[in-house]
């Protein structure tokens, strides 16, 4: 059997323009033409077209589809590459979902003005994170968050304010950083920090640098530890037996 371009377009749900484009880029060329120059596609052409449609449906680019069908690179390799891209997109969507939930459920999100202010703060924080962490590090942090699970992450997030309040209470009481109470607080502090960087020294160093250079702003705008708290914990760490 043979199909003209219009007939093939109707059968596949593609446009004639799309089929012409596939021909221009060498992805699908009609096997024959009529005496009048009209394109004719045979069964092999149609089979190739359905492979193209299938691979495009998986999100492969036209160039990747051509590479796979022409045997220039194993299809399995291209699919694994696409799978990595999909995983990254899923991570990005999960992060977006978390932000949407946070913004929608925030205490200040009762009117449009407050919600826009929260969104602006989130955007500013994203930009700040980008100054200190590479794209790979941000991806690793998101993957670690997914592995740990939202419930465990929420538990850590809830513990931070309590721990900071205990540290501040010891500071106010004039507790020596070498005191066992201070040592215990410092130990737990470092455990929570480690849950963030997961033992990655580069990630840990980026975190410390961001914290040191933005301590006042983080404490004031995001409820982070004050420079005084950080100094107390550092002294307690330095005096650990």
């Amino acid at each position: 059997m043979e199909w003209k371009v219009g007939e093939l377009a109707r059968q596949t749900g593609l446009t004639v323009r799309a089929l012409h484009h596939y021909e221009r880029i060498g992805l699908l060329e009609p096997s024959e033409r009529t005496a009048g120059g009209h394109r004719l596609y045979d069964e092999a052409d149609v089979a190739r077209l359905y492979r193209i449609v299938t691979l495009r449906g998986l999100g492969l680019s036209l160039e990747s589809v051509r590479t796979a069908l022409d045997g220039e690179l194993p299809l399995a390799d291209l699919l694994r590459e696409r799978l990595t891209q999909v995983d990254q997109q899923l991570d990005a969507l999960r992060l977006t979902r978390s932000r949407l939930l946070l913004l929608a459920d925030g205490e200040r999100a009762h009117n449009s003005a407050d919600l826009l202010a929260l969104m602006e703060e989130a955007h500013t924080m994203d930009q700040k994170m980008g100054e200190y962490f590479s794209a790979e590090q941000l991806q690793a942090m998101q993957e670690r968050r997914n592995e740990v699970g939202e419930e465990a992450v929420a538990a850590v997030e809830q513990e931070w304010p309590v721990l900071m309040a205990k540290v501040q209470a010891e500071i106010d009481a004039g507790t020596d950083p070498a005191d066992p109470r201070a040592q215990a607080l410092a130990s737990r502090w470092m455990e929570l920090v480690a849950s963030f960087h997961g033992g990655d020294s580069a990630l840990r160093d980026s975190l410390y640098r961001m914290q040191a250079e933005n301590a006042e702003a983080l404490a004031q705008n995001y409820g982070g530890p004050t420079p005084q708290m950080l100094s107390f914990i550092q002294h307690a760490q330095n005096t650990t037996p």
Side-chain angles (χ1 to χ4, degrees):
M1 292 182 64
E2 292 180 326
W3 293 262
K4 292 183 178 179
V5 66
E7 296 170 339
L8 189 56
R10 284 191 294 274
Q11 281 198 19
T12 59
L14 298 171
T15 64
V16 171
R17 179 178 296 181
L19 293 174
H20 287 174
H21 179 62
Y22 290 174
E23 181 180 353
R24 282 195 300 272
I25 65 176
L27 185 58
L28 178 69
E29 298 182 13
S31 297
E32 298 181 37
R33 288 183 183 268
T34 66
H38 296 292
R39 298 168 177 83
L40 289 176
Y41 297 86
D42 63 16
E43 293 183 358
D45 297 330
V46 174
R48 182 178 173 92
L49 179 57
Y50 278 113
R51 293 189 186 100
I52 293 170
V53 171
T54 299
L55 293 174
R56 286 290 286 159
L58 294 173
L60 269 67
S61 68
L62 288 176
E63 181 58 30
S64 293
V65 171
R66 188 196 64 75
T67 299
L69 294 183
D70 291 348
E72 297 176 15
L73 190 68
L75 177 57
D77 291 346
L78 289 169
L79 292 178
R80 279 192 289 269
E81 180 181 322
R82 177 56 184 157
L83 181 59
T84 297
Q85 295 171 353
V86 169
D87 286 339
Q88 292 173 345
Q89 291 169 349
L90 286 173
D91 288 336
L93 284 172
R94 291 189 189 99
L95 181 58
T96 299
R97 183 179 185 277
S98 297
R99 289 172 177 166
L100 286 170
L101 285 173
L102 180 64
L103 290 170
D105 296 338
E107 294 180 2
R108 292 170 48 196
H110 59 275
N111 62 52
S112 296
D114 285 344
L115 184 55
L116 287 173
L118 279 173
M119 293 169 67
E120 184 176 355
E121 289 176 12
H123 179 67
T124 300
M125 191 59 185
D126 283 347
Q127 289 181 315
K128 183 62 66 177
M129 292 286 283
E131 294 176 13
Y132 292 93
F133 301 99
S134 68
E136 292 76 14
Q137 288 176 324
L138 292 173
Q139 178 69 25
M141 283 188 282
Q142 182 59 38
E143 290 175 356
R144 186 174 298 114
R145 184 184 183 101
N146 295 337
E147 291 172 3
V148 171
E150 291 300 323
E151 195 170 314
V153 171
V156 171
E157 291 175 345
Q158 291 171 5
E159 185 176 353
W160 267 118
V162 177
L163 183 58
M164 287 191 290
K166 291 179 179 178
V167 170
Q168 187 60 52
E170 296 298 340
I171 293 172
D172 294 341
T175 302
D176 189 322
D179 186 281
R181 294 195 305 275
Q183 297 285 304
L185 290 174
S187 176
R188 182 55 184 160
W189 187 288
M190 299 311 295
E191 287 175 0
L192 293 187
V193 171
S195 71
F196 175 87
H197 60 67
D200 185 322
S201 59
L203 190 57
R204 179 199 61 208
D205 293 345
S206 295
L207 171 64
Y208 286 170
R209 186 163 65 89
M210 183 184 74
Q211 184 67 67
E213 296 177 4
N214 301 274
E216 292 285 359
L218 290 172
Q220 181 176 351
N221 299 325
Y222 303 103
T226 65
Q228 191 180 23
M229 291 180 195
L230 294 173
S231 177
F232 183 83
I233 293 298
Q234 184 63 52
H235 280 90
Q237 279 292 109
N238 291 339
T239 55
T240 299

